[in-house]
């Protein structure tokens, strides 16, 4: 096999699997963060009205993709409050989940397990 054919086949494989070059190339493709987040909020029984992704909804915690990363904020009275900026998608989603879980604990919707 010529090196050109190997590059073409590798490029096609990379596009199909979403793999990246280097050490990570052998790993299975990762689940989308939005899917992981959705599973977590469902397991924690956090109501969908408590959060929004890519849409500003008054009374909800919102996550927006921006040119340079991701913003997470509380939307109240048509204004953004407590805005946090993240370069990484994973960090933004986990911060949002943490805020939602803490609020659910405070309101008694989510209770810690007792050993």
């Amino acid at each position: 096999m010529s090196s050109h054919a190997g590059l073409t086949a590798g490029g096609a494989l990379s596009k199909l699997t979403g793999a990246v070059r280097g050490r990570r190339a052998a790993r299975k493709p990762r689940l989308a963060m939005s899917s992981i987040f959705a599973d977590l909020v469902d397991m924690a029984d956090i109501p969908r009205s408590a959060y929004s992704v890519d849409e500003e909804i008054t009374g909800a915690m919102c996550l927006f993709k921006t040119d340079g990363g991701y913003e997470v904020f509380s939307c109240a009275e048509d204004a953004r409050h407590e805005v946090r900026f993240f370069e990484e998608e994973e960090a933004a989603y986990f911060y949002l989940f943490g805020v939602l879980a803490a609020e659910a604990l405070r309101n008694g919707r989510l209770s810690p397990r007792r050993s």
Side-chain angles (χ1 to χ4, degrees):
M1 178 186 293
S2 74
S3 63
H4 176 63
L7 289 175
T8 303
L13 178 62
S14 180
K15 286 180 185 175
L16 288 173
T17 64
V20 295
R21 294 180 185 206
R23 283 184 49 206
R24 299 171 90 191
R27 294 183 189 166
K28 291 181 181 178
R30 292 176 54 173
L31 289 173
M33 271 312 303
S34 58
S35 177
I36 294 169
F37 173 78
D39 287 346
L40 288 171
V41 294
D42 285 347
M43 284 188 278
D45 201 25
I46 294 170
R48 294 189 189 272
S49 61
Y51 66 92
S52 174
V53 176
D54 294 328
E55 184 179 358
E56 285 189 46
I57 297 179
T58 299
M61 288 294 299
C62 304
L63 184 147
F64 263 80
K65 184 170 180 4
T66 66
D67 288 337
Y70 300 83
E71 287 184 354
V72 177
F73 55 89
S74 173
C75 184
E77 300 171 9
D78 297 324
R80 294 178 176 191
H81 300 277
E82 302 175 30
V83 178
R84 300 290 186 271
F85 178 80
F86 300 89
E87 290 181 5
E88 301 292 325
E89 179 185 33
E90 186 175 65
Y93 271 106
F94 278 108
Y95 173 79
L96 176 58
F97 177 73
V99 170
L100 293 170
E103 183 65 24
L105 281 168
R106 280 193 292 273
N107 291 336
R109 285 190 317 247
L110 182 63
S111 58
R113 289 188 177 170
R114 307 279 181 208
S115 303

